[in-house]
Amino acid sequence: MSEACSSGPGGAIRRNPAAFGAADWLALAASPTFALMAVLTTVLGGESMSMPCSASPASPLSGMAMMYLLMSAFHLAPWLRLIRGVR
């Protein structure tokens, strides 16, 4: 076992926060970044340019804001692992 990991009570392995690498920080940055993009797309009206091109009425489940929300949800796993304390 490396120095970056230590076994705590109950055998759970916890990582030293100082030992986080670039990939760990990138994984943690994905979800908040996509959530921010969803908010900005909604607030700034990023969908207005694509609306005239659409033949069907706008659905709340379509568009870039919904895609960013789904991407944010799919990238929550590193945050859940960090909160839970398991690598």
Side-chain angles (χ1 to χ4, degrees), residues 5 8-9 11-12 20 26 34 37 39 42-43 63 65 71 77 80-81:
C5 297
F20 266 25
L26 185 61
F34 283 122
M37 290 169 68
V39 169
T42 302
V43 170
M71 293 292 287
L80 297 176
R81 280 193 300 267

Side-chain angles (χ1 to χ4, degrees), residues 40-83:
L40 289 176
T41 301
T42 302
V43 170
L44 298 177
E47 300 293 326
S48 62
M49 293 181 70
S50 64
M51 293 304 271
C53 300
S54 177
S56 63
S59 168
L61 296 177
S62 66
M64 294 302 289
M66 183 54 69
M67 183 203 65
Y68 289 140
L69 284 175
L70 287 172
M71 293 292 287
S72 179
F74 291 146
H75 287 86
L76 277 177
W79 281 102
L80 297 176
R81 280 193 300 267
L82 182 67
I83 291 168

Side-chain angles (χ1 to χ4, degrees), residues 13-32:
I13 295 176
R14 298 188 187 275
R15 286 195 60 183
N16 180 357
F20 266 25
D24 294 319
W25 289 113
L26 185 61
L28 288 173
S31 186

